Amino acid sequence: MRIRRLNEVERDGDGRWFQPALDRIAAMRSDPDARARRFFDFDKALTVARAPGRLDVMGGIADYSGATVLQLPLDRSTSAIVQRNSDAHVEVATRRGNGWGFFSMPFDSLRTSDSLRTLGLRDPRALSAWFKARPHEHWAAYVVGVVQRVVDAAPMPHSDGGLRVVIDSTVPAGKGVSSSAALEVAVMSAVAAAYGVEIGAEQSATACQWVENHIVGAPCGIMDQMTSACGVADRLLRLKCQPDRIEGNLEIPSGFQFFGIDSGVRHAVTGADYGTVRTAAFMGYRIIADAAGLTATENGGRIQVEDPNWNGYLANLSPGEFDATYRSLLPETLRGSEFLARYGGTTDTVTHVLADREYPVRNATAHPIYEQDRVIRFTGLLAELSDRRAAASELGALMYESHASYSACGLGSDGTDRLVEMIAAEGARRGLFGAKITGGGSGGTVAVLADASALPVVAGISNRYSKETGRDSEVFAASGPGADQTGVLILE
């Protein structure tokens, strides 16, 4: 991670990516809220990092099954402004509409030393439970969980005081463009730099995913955090999620662009639909592994499978192998109690099979297997776009297939379906080639492959959709750098 001073940023032209944070710092000096005005000591150093949201072009929920995903970092980003001080608390401030939200916790309660159990939160499970019991403060779990991960590795004594963190963001929440990962990665980058902790971009991403899984309680895959940390502006991050191998950054051929259109249907990766589908996919893997004669053992309440065939990932099954041998063995739906009675559990470390829930096992299992095949074909066709324009329609067809597969799993929504329908109706004659729901599904944003000149058409669809449904919709039209590209800014 690059560490730069303000004059260096101005020299290399990256200053515009930090400008929202610099504007927030300047505004805080005269903020009408006295608590915000006095939040920082402006005579002392501030550490600033920013991290972008992302547009899920292909791959989506197949990331937790080991698929390859293609992700575009957006120009919308979250900034974290950090200052260490003598007050022994973690203080967090964030903008909420026209006002502020504040959070405070004793700093020592987050450290793992046995002598420091102020709130008994040194165990991540206890910290997670503490936030779950306080829904009005749960927003701070993203920040505090990251702080805990960093300070445990920090080369400083616990008596060194605390820190203050201001969050400022242009990544809209609940729209399926990974506002949570942008928040986590920005905080990780800024806090690590403030404490002198060396952490690489990929290491930062995996630590942030751990926080979201185990502190926040959202069973997300790795693609959001990796894109926010490691993405390159105007390139598709190609990431093989086994567990997190970056395979390159793909150029988008000249004359084409990926857009996002928000459906106005709030998306939440913590929602029951996403968790249900993820759990169902791992149930399907467990059934397939058993049918293949793979050895399964129980260890600490979790199932471990010795898997030389697919290395534990559904995405490593080919569609042909799945169709010929395993599809017919999977029930369309399966009650959790029936599954647990026969198989005991799954190999997933962040979800649990609920006895009284019905799971869409067959479609949830099939999705990552076919999505992996779609992503590989998509990658090959993308390289042909410059020389063979007909490839655009073939790429679009793969996006439409992916969208339909989400719906088959139960992760569609009326809003995203309507947007995809409107895009298909305009079609290639208007420069629109394909579209799909993104990320965790159940609402959020639709990704669109289009001519680079098609922004007016995309914006027109967004406006018509808003008038038709009464939902606010916006267009994401530009890419930006990942956190590692812009580095960390020190204001002294």
Side-chain angles (χ1 to χ4, degrees):
M1 185 68 72
R2 291 183 293 170
I3 305 292
R4 291 97 58 79
R5 270 60 183 176
L6 181 59
N7 60 341
E8 295 174 351
V9 173
E10 291 173 332
R11 259 202 319 273
D12 69 16
D14 279 349
R16 66 190 179 103
W17 299 110
F18 287 101
Q19 197 59 52
L22 299 178
D23 291 344
R24 175 58 56 208
I25 292 167
M28 287 179 70
R29 292 174 178 268
S30 57
D31 197 285
D33 187 322
R35 190 171 176 183
R37 197 166 58 247
R38 294 193 291 265
F39 194 78
F40 287 134
D41 181 346
F42 292 103
D43 293 327
K44 295 182 179 179
L46 296 169
T47 303
V48 184
R50 41 79 55 200
R54 64 95 187 95
L55 182 67
D56 165 36
V57 172
M58 287 293 287
I61 59 166
D63 65 343
Y64 54 66
S65 294
T68 302
V69 299
L70 304 177
Q71 307 295 306
L72 180 71
L74 294 173
D75 65 340
R76 311 288 186 92
S77 65
T78 296
S79 298
I81 308 160
V82 172
Q83 184 177 70
R84 291 174 62 177
N85 59 28
S86 59
D87 184 13
H89 285 77
V90 178
E91 305 278 352
V92 186
T94 184
R95 291 290 295 176
R96 288 184 171 177
N98 295 322
W100 287 87
F102 294 96
F103 174 86
S104 178
M105 176 179 282
F107 187 86
D108 284 351
S109 65
L110 299 179
R111 298 192 61 84
T112 58
S113 169
D114 285 347
S115 63
L116 300 170
R117 300 187 183 184
T118 312
L119 295 178
L121 302 181
R122 68 185 189 90
D123 185 330
R125 291 170 297 182
L127 185 61
S128 178
W130 191 88
F131 276 111
K132 285 179 181 177
R134 295 162 176 80
H136 295 299
E137 295 181 315
H138 192 259
W139 62 272
Y142 296 91
V143 178
V144 173
V146 168
V147 171
Q148 185 181 59
R149 295 290 283 183
V150 175
V151 298
D152 279 345
M156 40 76 74
H158 72 270
S159 59
D160 200 36
L163 76 162
R164 294 187 172 184
V165 184
V166 165
I167 304 301
D168 194 66
S169 185
T170 60
V171 185
K175 296 184 182 292
V177 290
S178 198
S179 59
S180 59
L183 170 59
E184 293 153 358
V185 172
V187 172
M188 177 71 74
S189 300
V191 174
Y195 282 121
V197 176
E198 292 289 335
I199 182 168
E202 295 180 35
Q203 182 186 1
S204 171
T206 55
C208 289
Q209 183 205 15
W210 186 94
V211 168
E212 187 149 355
N213 288 167
H214 298 285
I215 304 298
V216 177
C220 67
I222 188 62
M223 70 180 189
D224 296 351
Q225 290 82 6
M226 288 293 283
T227 307
S228 190
C230 306
V232 175
D234 299 313
R235 297 288 189 273
L236 294 179
L237 180 74
R238 176 172 171 165
L239 174 69
K240 189 169 186 176
C241 303
Q242 297 191 19
D244 51 15
R245 186 172 79 241
I246 294 175
E247 297 184 324
N249 292 281
L250 306 182
E251 183 175 359
I252 301 169
S254 176
F256 296 91
Q257 187 169 345
F258 291 99
F259 298 94
I261 308 178
D262 165 39
S263 69
V265 179
R266 187 171 179 84
H267 158 84
V269 75
T270 52
D273 287 345
Y274 174 89
T276 297
V277 172
R278 173 172 176 150
T279 305
F282 279 91
M283 291 165 69
Y285 168 74
R286 178 73 179 88
I287 294 169
I288 289 172
D290 186 72
L294 302 181
T295 301
T297 56
E298 189 274 334
N299 185 5
R302 288 294 176 186
I303 301 297
Q304 295 180 334
V305 174
E306 296 178 24
D307 183 0
N309 296 353
W310 310 294
N311 200 30
Y313 295 107
L314 281 172
N316 291 338
L317 275 78
S318 70
E321 181 181 23
F322 176 69
D323 285 342
T325 308
Y326 299 109
R327 175 185 279 275
S328 62
L329 302 179
L330 299 176
E332 190 168 327
T333 63
L334 182 62
R335 196 159 187 81
S337 56
E338 297 177 47
F339 174 85
L340 291 170
R342 179 167 179 180
Y343 299 101
T346 75
T347 57
D348 194 10
T349 60
V350 297
T351 62
H352 299 271
V353 178
L354 302 179
D356 61 350
R357 181 165 295 177
E358 201 76 19
Y359 291 93
V361 172
R362 184 182 297 166
N363 286 335
T365 304
H367 176 80
I369 295 168
Y370 289 102
E371 186 73 1
Q372 172 68 8
D373 180 68
R374 284 188 286 265
V375 171
I376 298 306
R377 286 190 284 153
F378 192 96
T379 302
L381 287 166
L382 191 68
E384 298 181 22
L385 263 184
S386 298
D387 302 320
R388 190 170 71 87
R389 187 173 175 83
S393 294
E394 297 174 49
L395 286 163
L398 292 172
M399 296 179 78
Y400 288 132
E401 287 178 21
S402 179
H403 180 80
S405 187
Y406 263 79
S407 296
C409 291
L411 291 175
S413 76
D414 63 338
T416 50
D417 284 350
R418 178 58 183 147
L419 280 171
V420 169
E421 183 181 80
M422 295 170 76
I423 291 159
E426 296 287 352
R429 65 186 180 85
R430 300 294 306 278
L432 307 183
F433 302 104
K436 62 176 282 288
I437 194 171
T438 63
S442 299
T445 292
V446 164
V448 185
L449 171 62
D451 282 330
S453 60
L455 177 58
V457 181
V458 173
I461 289 174
S462 176
N463 290 334
R464 285 193 283 117
Y465 170 84
S466 290
K467 291 177 182 177
E468 177 184 306
T469 64
R471 296 168 177 152
D472 292 333
S473 176
E474 61 180 310
V475 173
F476 304 105
S479 178
D484 196 44
Q485 261 197 293
T486 48
V488 176
L489 179 65
I490 308 295
L491 302 181
E492 296 177 318

